[in-house]
Amino acid sequence: MVSLPALAQSSGKKPNLSGMWQALNSANWELEAHAAEAGPTALGALAAVAPGPSVVVGGEIPYLPAALAKRKTNREQRWTADPEAKCFMPGVPRATYLPYPFQIVQGTDKTMISYEFADTVRLVHMKDPGPAPADSWMGWSVGHWEGDTLVVDVTAQNGDTWLDRSGNYHSDALHVVERYTLRSPDVLMYEATIEDPKVFSKAWTVRMPLYRRLDDGAQLMEFKCIPFTEHFLYDKVGR
Amino acid sequence: MLRTAITTVLICAAGSAAAQPAAPAKPAAKWTMPRLADGHPDFQGVWTNKTITPFDRPKELGNKEFFTADEAKAFVKKTLERNNRDNRTDDVSDVIGAYNAFWWDSGSALLPNMRTSIVVEPRNGQVPPLTAARAAAMAAQAQAVKVRCEKPGCAVSNFGTPAPSDEPQALDLMTRCISFGTVVPMLPTAYNNNYQIVQTEGMVAIDTEMVHQVRRIPTDGKPHLPATVRQWYGDPRGHWEGDTLVVESTNFSGQHFGRMTAADENLKVTERFTLVPPGILTYRFTVDDPTAWTAPWTGEIPLVPIDGMLYEYACHEGNRGMENILSGARKEMQKAGAK
Amino acid sequence: MHRSLFALLLAALIPLSPAAAHHSFAAEFDLNQPVKLRGTVTKVDFMNPHSWIYMSVKKDDGTVEEWAVEGGTANTLFRMGVNKNSLPLGTEIIVDGYRARDGAMRANGRDITLPDGNKLFLGGSAPPQ
């Protein structure tokens, strides 16, 4: 069993966020408040959209009016167009609130966040390495501490991920600032402020608790989903 | 000012003084073991195991385990010349091999241990023979591919022989972006042979750049997953023997790649990591799979620290080659069917 | 005269042992369809498993074709200091390669040069600049 993290000491020692964490909400279905909804007919209630409150501070995502049309189209195509369905790495902040756990390994110069889904991983550089050479799926993460809060600045994400399964999306101008603060030994408060001038009229924030996985035998397991998506992605190619 | 340097990079041609260095970044005057607060050695950093040391010992070297300095020099020269020949053959190998040492990231150096092979046990530096049953099973698979490829929809694979290319599941794991190397044990692959180790109390995490594969190795004594749960890269558990990290991996699913293709679900891999001066992470691994090989075998391939970082290698997300390959094969099959 | 070149793409050929490999170019491109393309860069994707250079090729009859040329892993380039700004759009390049097996306007860039003959590939003995 992983050791309990040290909360901030008066000596100024940094909290240790290491361990296995998971969000417990339906943000990955839809960030804004939403009722339950049918999934694909063939799956009955198995893939129904679970209801949930908004995780967006203030309730709604401030889209630019011209950007709403694409969200609508995405949503209409959600069962085929969602990059999560393709086993693509989910980007930040979606990786945090997927319904699967992740492991924080807080090292010296790097904080590794290893996500169960699709072998997703990112290395948060605790010393600024300079700008990203190009865009990537999980972006370029630079972290520093503000008191007991780990602040991570994420740039250089490509524009190809979605923010949830309902078509909320962003462009390659996305800039995310995350804040991780221990509320108690087993609860990590998470905030992510999102800016994208091509899609949103102003910055907005998602906020949620992350819970330490305490079950006996809990560990991240392999979730290598590429073989599960090959028919989905390639059956029609060349035919 | 932008760094728009160039880059006609030198291909470490034989004898050239401008060879890429593969040595540790900065040898310290007096090296001391770096340790974490819990007293265990600190393995954190970015490491590489790229090398031109051969995997198996060249047969002509017999039981000779180490190169002399002169032999090493000659070997390096010969290898680099062979790897960099501009070999325009006008046959299919011209298409297959359209990479040279710029892309193949084997570097230009032998391992710092001056060994003649990565395999160190058996003493002849060769992987032991397959069991009869395993050899027969693999031969049957190869035969099935041969028969399949008498019909259209096959292409010459990167290994030089025809293989089906009309269904993803028929293609190799690399083309499918599922695996580019062995991951466990840590053997070098084509390029980007880099590993990031991040460590905290009770956990050593190794991020293999190809293909963003993290091994999360608990060192807190928790037991393995139940035997009914199998994973591509198994389930690792670590413990410290003094300053050596010993990792045992079990629960393999039987899908392996590259040098480990013959392995099956009975595989067990034991690895030993020890930091030695001037900051090299010695790495010794034993492969034990009694239904695949007639004996266990052991290799050594030290990890050398590098200045630099891992970059994201998102493969599946950008796998346009898969669509292109399938498209080509299926169109050919349609044409053949229409005849 | 040296401009700011960058070592970008596929280079000369080598037969390498199968242990070091990647996806088969022979399954994607056709030995029997060699191509030589001259055009200007319209887009560059530094990505994995292969970078792509997109180019506009003006044919002798005046028509313009849009081609995609496949290169190597972006990570190798990043380690050399190449980044997304390194290959200016509009750069004229000449590509020697093989066309896609399915006949599309795609090629693997076996050799890529600039019009002045400078090579955009690794293969010479010129020292690093």
Side-chain angles (χ1 to χ4, degrees):
Chain A
M1 197 65 225
V2 57
S3 60
L4 294 179
L7 292 181
Q9 318 268 321
S10 54
S11 64
K13 190 176 163 192
K14 294 281 170 283
N16 186 355
L17 307 186
S18 297
M20 183 178 175
W21 301 95
Q22 188 164 346
L24 193 59
N25 54 37
S26 71
N28 189 52
W29 275 116
E30 183 153 11
L31 290 172
E32 295 175 340
H34 57 282
E37 229 179 288
T41 311
L43 295 171
L46 281 179
V49 177
S54 180
V55 297
V56 179
V57 175
E60 289 187 0
I61 302 171
Y63 276 91
L64 291 167
L68 277 169
K70 182 162 188 310
R71 175 170 79 165
K72 184 162 184 289
T73 316
N74 285 350
R75 194 193 170 90
E76 285 157 5
Q77 299 171 351
R78 72 203 308 186
W79 305 112
T80 51
D82 187 346
E84 185 192 343
K86 303 175 184 178
C87 186
F88 287 0
M89 291 194 280
V92 179
R94 189 176 185 183
T96 310
Y97 49 81
L98 288 177
Y100 313 116
F102 57 90
Q103 185 92 25
I104 296 179
V105 185
Q106 187 171 315
T108 308
D109 293 341
K110 309 284 183 203
T111 304
M112 180 191 289
I113 310 184
S114 172
Y115 303 87
E116 188 174 82
F117 181 73
D119 302 316
T120 300
V121 57
R122 62 177 165 138
L123 290 165
V124 177
H125 307 288
M126 301 305 291
K127 294 183 180 157
D128 195 336
D135 289 348
S136 62
W137 288 79
M138 294 304 290
W140 190 253
S141 293
V142 182
H144 70 277
W145 288 92
E146 286 175 12
D148 294 338
T149 296
L150 175 64
V151 181
V152 183
D153 192 283
V154 190
T155 54
Q157 293 193 68
N158 65 35
D160 299 333
T161 58
W162 285 10
L163 294 168
D164 60 23
R165 289 176 178 169
S166 296
N168 282 307
Y169 74 101
H170 62 85
S171 77
D172 61 0
L174 180 67
H175 176 210
V176 180
V177 179
E178 300 171 291
R179 304 177 72 86
Y180 298 81
T181 314
L182 275 170
R183 176 190 165 109
S184 61
D186 300 323
V187 180
L188 185 57
M189 291 310 296
Y190 178 74
E191 278 186 19
T193 299
I194 291 159
E195 278 177 279
D196 188 336
K198 292 187 192 174
V199 180
F200 310 118
S201 58
K202 57 180 181 172
W204 51 284
T205 298
V206 296
R207 179 184 296 150
M208 64 189 73
L210 304 171
Y211 299 96
R212 186 185 296 278
R213 289 288 302 271
L214 297 172
D215 4 353
D216 278 345
Q219 67 175 74
L220 262 64
M221 292 171 64
E222 265 183 14
F223 196 151
K224 300 178 79 62
C225 41
I226 294 173
F228 311 156
T229 61
E230 285 168 322
H231 286 290
F232 176 81
L233 286 170
Y234 304 125
D235 268 359
K236 294 199 177 71
V237 167
R239 295 199 164 116
Chain B
M1 182 130 73
L2 276 184
R3 242 172 85 201
T4 48
I6 231 251
T7 46
T8 322
V9 171
L10 172 72
I11 290 186
C12 316
S16 160
Q20 291 175 42
K26 262 193 322 214
K30 176 185 186 296
W31 183 84
T32 52
M33 176 74 78
R35 294 184 187 278
L36 290 183
D38 64 6
H40 291 304
D42 182 352
F43 292 164
Q44 295 181 95
V46 186
W47 305 87
T48 187
N49 60 3
K50 70 183 185 187
T51 184
I52 56 175
T53 298
F55 181 78
D56 296 293
R57 185 173 307 137
K59 293 246 161 52
E60 59 269 17
L61 292 179
N63 282 352
K64 182 179 165 63
E65 294 181 75
F66 296 93
F67 286 113
T68 63
D70 285 340
E71 287 166 342
K73 226 160 112 175
F75 182 85
V76 170
K77 183 171 149 76
K78 199 170 77 166
T79 302
L80 294 179
E81 275 168 359
R82 189 188 71 226
N83 288 357
N84 279 308
R85 231 170 29 211
D86 184 0
N87 184 20
R88 290 159 191 268
T89 57
D90 287 331
D91 68 19
V92 74
S93 65
D94 197 53
V95 185
I96 296 172
Y99 269 0
N100 74 353
F102 175 70
W103 295 110
W104 299 119
D105 185 23
S106 307
S108 59
L110 293 170
L111 291 173
N113 60 15
M114 295 290 268
R115 281 191 172 275
T116 52
S117 58
I118 290 173
V119 176
V120 303
E121 274 168 28
R123 294 297 295 281
N124 66 359
Q126 309 289 326
V127 173
L130 297 177
T131 61
R134 191 73 184 112
M138 291 178 76
Q141 273 173 342
Q143 179 60 18
V145 167
K146 202 152 160 252
V147 166
R148 160 71 184 83
C149 288
E150 284 158 10
K151 301 201 200 79
C154 282
V156 176
S157 78
N158 207 48
F159 302 91
T161 54
S165 58
D166 62 317
E167 290 295 343
Q169 297 78 20
L171 290 161
D172 64 271
L173 295 182
M174 228 170 3
T175 302
R176 296 166 74 187
C177 278
I178 292 172
S179 180
F180 259 71
T182 51
V183 179
V184 46
M186 295 164 77
L187 296 177
T189 179
Y191 33 70
N192 301 329
N193 287 309
N194 306 304
Y195 307 87
Q196 174 95 52
I197 299 182
V198 181
Q199 198 175 333
T200 189
E201 187 185 333
M203 171 68 65
V204 176
I206 304 177
D207 183 1
T208 302
E209 185 162 338
M210 300 296 286
V211 176
H212 60 85
Q213 196 66 47
V214 177
R215 295 175 69 205
R216 297 164 293 264
I217 305 169
T219 54
D220 57 3
K222 57 152 57 81
H224 278 287
L225 290 171
T228 48
V229 177
R230 318 302 291 195
Q231 306 196 126
W232 289 75
Y233 296 122
D235 185 48
R237 291 291 182 270
H239 67 273
W240 293 96
E241 288 175 8
D243 284 342
T244 292
L245 176 68
V246 181
V247 181
E248 287 167 342
S249 299
T250 57
N251 297 70
F252 287 91
S253 65
Q255 291 155 301
H256 300 282
F257 183 73
R259 299 283 182 190
M260 296 294 289
T261 300
D264 55 28
E265 69 279 2
N266 298 318
L267 176 67
K268 179 171 161 180
V269 180
T270 307
E271 301 158 284
R272 304 177 71 89
F273 298 81
T274 316
L275 261 180
V276 300
I280 290 180
L281 188 55
T282 66
Y283 174 71
R284 186 177 170 98
F285 64 90
T286 298
V287 169
D288 186 2
D289 190 340
T291 45
W293 289 283
T294 48
W297 48 279
T298 294
E300 279 186 11
I301 179 160
L303 294 156
V304 170
I306 54 172
D307 278 331
M309 54 191 293
L310 258 60
Y311 292 98
E312 178 183 283
Y313 192 92
C315 190
H316 172 64
E317 292 80 355
N319 198 1
R320 301 175 190 173
M322 171 64 78
E323 294 176 24
N324 301 337
I325 289 170
L326 296 177
S327 169
R330 288 169 180 171
K331 286 197 161 61
E332 280 170 15
M333 289 168 79
Q334 278 163 24
K335 249 192 349 214
K339 264 206 285 260
Chain C
M1 172 179 138
H2 287 296
R3 298 170 43 201
S4 28
L5 302 175
F6 46 84
L8 199 57
L9 297 154
L10 292 186
L13 175 84
I14 42 145
L16 253 220
S17 79
H22 80 113
H23 90 241
S24 169
F25 278 160
E28 197 178 345
F29 301 100
D30 188 352
L31 166 74
N32 299 313
Q33 297 190 66
V35 288
K36 195 172 175 106
L37 308 167
R38 184 179 182 128
T40 55
V41 175
T42 55
K43 186 172 177 237
V44 186
D45 279 338
F46 287 108
M47 55 184 280
N48 296 301
H50 296 277
S51 293
W52 288 87
I53 294 186
Y54 298 87
M55 54 190 296
S56 277
V57 177
K58 193 152 170 205
K59 314 290 290 181
D60 292 333
D61 63 4
T63 55
V64 175
E65 289 179 343
E66 302 298 330
W67 280 78
V69 179
E70 191 180 53
T73 161
N75 295 16
T76 297
L77 303 171
F78 298 158
R79 293 200 161 88
M80 300 169 55
V82 172
N83 63 41
K84 63 187 170 190
N85 302 313
S86 294
L87 176 48
L89 303 188
T91 303
E92 198 176 353
I93 56 174
I94 300 164
V95 173
D96 220 316
Y98 294 92
R99 187 172 187 152
R101 284 179 82 192
D102 65 2
M105 283 188 250
R106 248 182 280 116
N108 75 336
R110 193 191 179 293
D111 286 314
I112 301 187
T113 55
L114 298 178
D116 61 5
N118 278 316
K119 293 182 190 285
L120 285 189
F121 74 120
L122 248 319
S125 50
Q129 316 246 337

